[in-house]
């Protein structure tokens, strides 16, 4: 399977347009069509419906493989380039929104030497570490107490736990359930929820953890601004699962412990094994 053809297919599938894909990729439209046709011929299945442009069932299945395959190839290229020519200059540290305080503390000793601190969404942070756009990243997420965060296999990468705290259901202080000491998530399956996949616990994860069909989005919150999400919860637009420490700092909100299933908020440090970022940040105690 030619990765160049696979990349073209993923762009067409994402944009739902051969012409728009041609503009993004810098190809002619006929070249894009030829790439998709060649991939379909290689695999022996139709991957894209043409009018309108949309992935077929086989195309949707291929997309589940394509992202990790292309990311792993980009990670391999970046890793070999890093071995051949170590990159000088400022340390580039990335963090997901809820991991920014940990990133600032971790990199405090680098201020004099120069530091780039970048906030990124969860999937984007992993991609930037893998492709050497960042020297290291602090990734946050929600998981069972003894389980690691689910991270795409990026090759020779070091992952270590940087911090962990309880996860809580975040409610306005006037909410009828705000006085509870603990809540079972399944009991809240039909509540109003804010879907904020780059900040709070993603709703599909809550459905999977409870085995229920609920946790439907009342409000979609796109972006990485933590303060905006907290304001939306305080205004009564819906609930969110967040770290206990994040909620305690806001008197208009209450965080109720998650009794079942048990969830924690974890911050993990990810970096390419043996990288310059690994050696430089070691003095900070990571």
């Amino acid at each position: 399977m030619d990765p160049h053809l696979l990349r073209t297919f993923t762009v067409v599938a994402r944009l739902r347009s051969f012409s728009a894909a041609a503009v993004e990729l810098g190809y002619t439209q006929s070249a894009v069509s030829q790439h998709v046709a060649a991939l379909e011929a290689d695999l022996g299945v139709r991957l894209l419906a043409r009018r309108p442009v949309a992935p077929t069932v086989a195309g949707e299945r291929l997309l589940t493989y394509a992202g990790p395959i292309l990311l792993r190839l980009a990670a391999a290229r970046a890793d070999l380039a890093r071995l051949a020519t170590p990159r000088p200059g400022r340390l580039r540290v990335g963090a997901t929104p809820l991991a920014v305080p940990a990133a600032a503390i971790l990199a405090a000793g680098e201020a004099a030497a120069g530091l780039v601190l970048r906030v990124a969404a969860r999937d984007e942070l992993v991609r930037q570490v893998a492709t050497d756009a960042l020297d290291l990243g602090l990734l946050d997420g929600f998981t069972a107490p003894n389980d690691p965060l689910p991270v795409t296999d990026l090759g020779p990468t070091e992952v270590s736990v940087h911090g962990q705290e309880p996860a809580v259901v975040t409610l306005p202080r006037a909410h009828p359930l705000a006085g509870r000491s603990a809540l079972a998530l399944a009991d809240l399956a039909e509540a109003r929820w804010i879907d904020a996949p780059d900040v709070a616990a993603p709703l599909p994860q809550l459905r999977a953890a409870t085995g229920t069909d609920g946790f439907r989005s009342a409000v979609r919150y796109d972006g990485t601004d933590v303060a905006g999400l907290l304001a939306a919860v305080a205004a009564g637009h819906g609930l969110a699962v967040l770290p206990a420490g994040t909620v305690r700092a806001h008197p208009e909100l209450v965080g109720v412990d998650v009794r079942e299933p048990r969830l924690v908020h974890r911050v993990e440090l990810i970096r390419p094994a043996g990288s310059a970022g690994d050696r430089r940040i070691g003095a900070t105690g990571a």
Side-chain angles (χ1 to χ4, degrees):
M1 197 184 306
D2 187 325
H4 297 291
L5 305 184
L6 187 61
R7 177 170 176 257
T8 299
F9 160 70
T10 62
V11 176
V12 176
R14 172 167 54 83
L15 297 177
R16 298 292 201 270
S17 167
F18 283 78
S19 58
V23 172
E24 180 170 313
L25 293 167
Y27 299 154
T28 64
Q29 185 170 336
S30 62
V32 170
S33 298
Q34 289 168 14
H35 282 195
V36 172
L39 184 60
E40 290 176 330
D42 178 29
L43 298 175
V45 291
R46 178 59 67 94
L47 299 172
L48 289 168
R50 276 16 182 212
R51 294 185 181 178
V53 176
T56 62
V57 172
E60 291 284 4
R61 183 69 60 86
L62 181 58
L63 286 170
T64 65
Y65 294 98
I69 289 171
L70 293 172
L71 179 58
R72 187 68 186 270
L73 288 171
R77 180 181 293 275
D79 192 33
L80 294 177
R82 187 166 46 241
L83 287 174
T85 310
R87 189 195 65 83
R90 295 183 173 187
L91 182 68
R92 303 163 301 169
V93 178
T96 49
L98 292 175
V100 169
I105 294 169
L106 179 70
E110 293 293 328
L115 172 71
V116 175
L117 182 58
R118 185 180 303 157
V119 181
R122 289 169 178 145
D123 288 344
E124 181 63 15
L125 179 81
V126 172
R127 187 193 69 77
Q128 290 190 26
V129 172
T131 57
D132 201 33
L134 289 170
D135 295 309
L136 57 90
L138 280 156
L139 174 70
D140 88 286
F142 298 82
T143 186
N146 297 316
D147 291 347
L149 297 180
V151 178
T152 302
D153 181 8
L154 304 175
T157 303
E158 294 183 359
V159 180
S160 58
V161 177
H162 187 73
Q164 184 171 292
E165 65 178 316
V168 296
V169 179
T170 310
L171 310 158
R173 188 162 290 279
H175 194 280
L177 298 177
R180 296 282 190 91
S181 60
L183 290 165
L185 277 181
D187 294 340
L188 300 172
E190 302 307 319
R192 288 176 57 87
W193 286 90
I194 299 177
D195 185 16
D198 288 326
V199 184
L203 298 188
Q205 182 181 1
L206 301 186
R207 286 194 287 273
T210 57
T212 69
D213 222 6
F215 301 98
R216 300 301 170 187
S217 169
V219 174
R220 170 76 180 191
Y221 185 87
D222 288 326
T224 58
D225 180 33
V226 178
L229 173 61
L230 294 171
V233 176
H237 292 297
L239 311 182
V241 172
L242 289 165
T246 300
V247 180
R248 275 196 296 269
H250 294 267
E252 71 276 18
L253 297 172
V254 172
V256 179
D257 289 343
V258 177
R259 181 180 70 243
E260 185 182 338
R262 288 190 62 202
L263 285 178
V264 296
H265 176 258
R266 182 175 298 142
V267 175
E268 293 183 350
L269 177 66
I270 56 175
R271 53 193 171 192
S275 68
D278 178 35
R279 292 189 296 274
R280 289 174 60 182
I281 205 68
T284 65

